[in-house]
Each structure stands twice: as C-alpha cells, then as structure tokens.
Amino acid sequence: MPKFGTSILSFIPSWDAERGRYAIQQTASFGFDMLEISLPSTLDFDAKTVKKQLDDNGVEGRLSLNIPANCHIPYYPDKATDLLKRALDLVAEMEGDFLGGVLHSAIGTFTGQPCTPDERKIVQQVFKEVAAYAKERNITIAPEPINRYESYVFTAAEEVLEMIEAIGADNIGVHLDTFHMNIEERNFYEPVIKAGSRLKHVHMTESDRGMMGEGNVHWDDLFRALAEINYQGPLVLENFSSQIKELVGPTSLWRPSKYNSEDLAKGSLAFMKQMVEKWYK
C-alpha cells in the first residue's frame, strides 16, 4: 500500500529548526507516515538532527527543493548543478534515497517563449550530471512538472519522461502534483499510467488547494491508475490554509480558507485512506 505523507506546509510556511520540530511532532500526532521537508534555498538544514527527530517521532522523512531564481537552470546551469549536488549531500546525510520538487526551473521565471531546444539541452546536461552524482549515493531524483503560470520548462509528465528517455538515467523519476495536473494534463489517468514505475512521488491536493474531495480533481481516475501501476510510494498532502498567514501571498490564497490547517490535514488524510481502501484491492 502507498504511504500517507504530508508537506511541512500543512503546519509551517517554511523550514527552520524550531518550527521544523513542531511540524514533525504534528505529522506524527495527526497520524501521517511521513513528512516531506521543503529545503530552504540556502540549504541551511541540520540533516542529522532532523533525522533523529523524525526517528524519535516514528515518522519517515523525504526532502524536496524548489530551486531559486538565481539557479534557474537555463540561465545558470553551473550554479544549479552545485545547488542540486549540495541538496543531494543533505539527502545522503539524512540517510534518504529521494529528492523531489521543482528541480528544473525557478518558479515564476519566464522568457515569454516556450522552452527552446537549446534550453532543453542545457536542462538535460544538468540532470545527466546531477543524476550521476545522485546514483553514487543511491538517490533517486524526481522533478515535478508545474503549471504554465509558474514555469515554462516542465509543465506535464510527458516532458519529464522525454528528458528521462533522452538522458537514459535509471535514477530519475517523476514527481506529480494533482493541482498542476488539473490545469495541464488532459486527465488524471493517462499520465500516471505513462509514468508507470517512473512515478516516485505524488502531491495530493484539491483543485482549489482546499479539502480533498470537495473540488474538481477526478480522484477516482487518479487512484484507479495508481492501483493499476501498483504505486507504492508516498501520497503527500499539499494543501494550504490561510490560517498560516505567511502562506497567503506565496500560494495566492486571496480568499479566506474554509478550513483551518488542522481540519484540512485530518480531513484530507481520511479521504486518502478511503480512496486507497476503495481502489487497492
């Protein structure tokens, strides 16, 4: 069966040592199996201490990273390569085997044009080098395609799969997110089937970032596909509440959320468990 995870964003707006400890404790008390920790772009992160805190609370941890504007791969491939390698060092320090997130481009950085062949070549070169570095550490990397309003590099699963095929690395996977899929994919079934064993991480979030099951995401199609490929990776909740004030601007929560963060997390976890029970037979 898949594992049930949540992002730190269910509890805190960004990582630091004190708030991180709180997020780990809340993850355990709410009944999640794992916590996805979004690394700060500074990579100021005590991996060994965090690993101990996770173990003490009986929670697994996974790291993700959204690369900042000064490491946008098509513009700054060398800086991006260095940042990604340093992030992989933190994964290794935490005894992890995965790095996901928006690894391919800086959110909100655009040229006003589609990604060019030359830009795609630069992205491939960076990922080829980074994948080799990750393989030496037994780590899988999985870039997350995001919607057209946030990136122009990877916006659909197919583009990530094309890069994987072009590079030929067996430790690059796909990180899908239902919010972005709802905008960019034709449906929720085919991208999962196409990704197959390459699917390594899934962000679970409703079309309005609210309570799962109350929006436009076709959850039955998604879970039917996940069951067909026998996906055993984590299902990671990533919805937001305006109760956490620092998230309002970065996540465009221009209207007050219907739910507070605790009810949102607990209700969505119950929904995920119901869907797994329904489709994984």
Side-chain angles (χ1 to χ4, degrees):
M1 292 291 180
K3 293 180 178 178
F4 300 104
T6 188
S7 163
I8 61 169
L9 300 176
S10 288
F11 313 111
I12 60 175
S14 58
W15 183 268
D16 63 48
E18 184 175 343
R19 291 189 296 191
R21 186 184 308 109
Y22 168 76
I24 291 169
Q25 292 167 347
Q26 291 295 90
T27 299
S29 67
F30 283 20
F32 289 97
D33 303 314
M34 67 153 293
L35 178 64
E36 180 191 326
I37 298 170
S38 302
L39 288 167
S41 59
T42 59
L43 300 187
D44 181 11
F45 182 77
D46 186 343
K48 291 181 179 177
T49 297
V50 172
K51 168 66 171 165
K52 185 177 187 307
Q53 291 171 343
L54 289 163
D55 289 346
D56 288 346
N57 285 273
V59 173
E60 293 185 27
R62 271 193 166 189
L63 299 184
S64 63
L65 175 69
N66 297 338
I67 64 172
N70 65 358
C71 291
H72 181 64
I73 290 181
Y75 296 170
Y76 311 108
D78 292 339
K79 288 182 69 175
T81 300
D82 177 67
L83 181 76
L84 290 167
K85 286 181 177 180
R86 289 191 291 122
L88 288 167
D89 289 341
L90 292 175
V91 175
E93 279 185 44
M94 212 171 82
E95 301 174 29
D97 61 2
F98 175 86
L99 179 68
V102 187
L103 306 174
H104 50 84
S105 58
I107 297 173
T109 295
F110 293 96
T111 63
Q113 298 295 325
C115 194
T116 67
D118 285 345
E119 285 179 315
R120 293 204 181 279
K121 186 176 293 184
I122 291 169
V123 172
Q124 288 177 11
Q125 289 170 344
V126 168
F127 272 95
K128 186 172 184 178
E129 181 175 344
V130 171
Y133 190 85
K135 189 161 189 176
E136 293 173 356
R137 290 150 183 80
N138 297 312
I139 297 170
T140 294
I141 55 176
E144 173 189 4
I146 58 176
N147 71 76
R148 67 188 68 190
Y149 306 109
E150 296 183 353
S151 178
Y152 69 101
V153 177
F154 289 155
T155 59
E158 185 176 13
E159 294 171 315
V160 180
L161 292 169
E162 287 172 353
M163 183 195 70
I164 293 170
E165 185 175 352
I167 293 174
D170 61 5
N171 65 323
I172 303 179
V174 180
H175 171 174
L176 289 180
D177 182 308
T178 58
F179 178 82
H180 303 295
M181 292 175 73
N182 188 58
I183 297 171
E184 297 298 341
E185 305 286 0
R186 287 183 292 274
N187 57 61
F188 291 88
Y189 177 83
E190 290 176 8
V192 172
I193 297 299
K194 286 181 180 177
S197 62
R198 292 286 193 187
L199 183 60
K200 303 298 182 183
H201 198 78
V202 184
H203 275 169
M204 310 294 284
T205 183
E206 194 46 90
S207 56
D208 63 350
R209 295 290 197 186
M211 186 69 76
M212 288 177 61
E214 295 186 359
N216 295 324
V217 172
H218 296 185
W219 293 110
D220 281 311
D221 290 344
L222 178 80
F223 276 92
R224 177 165 60 95
L226 291 171
E228 282 190 26
I229 68 168
N230 193 31
Y231 176 75
Q232 299 293 317
L235 304 173
V236 179
L237 180 64
E238 195 190 44
N239 51 18
F240 312 129
S241 172
S242 59
Q243 182 188 51
I244 303 176
K245 300 301 183 186
E246 297 98 326
L247 285 178
V248 169
T251 59
S252 303
L253 293 172
W254 308 131
R255 300 185 305 276
S257 300
K258 182 178 178 181
Y259 299 96
N260 64 37
S261 57
E262 179 174 346
D263 291 343
L264 197 58
K266 290 181 176 178
S268 294
L269 175 58
F271 180 84
M272 288 194 291
K273 289 183 174 180
Q274 290 169 3
M275 294 301 288
V276 166
E277 186 176 347
K278 177 179 179 180
W279 287 103
Y280 278 75
K281 300 176 181 177

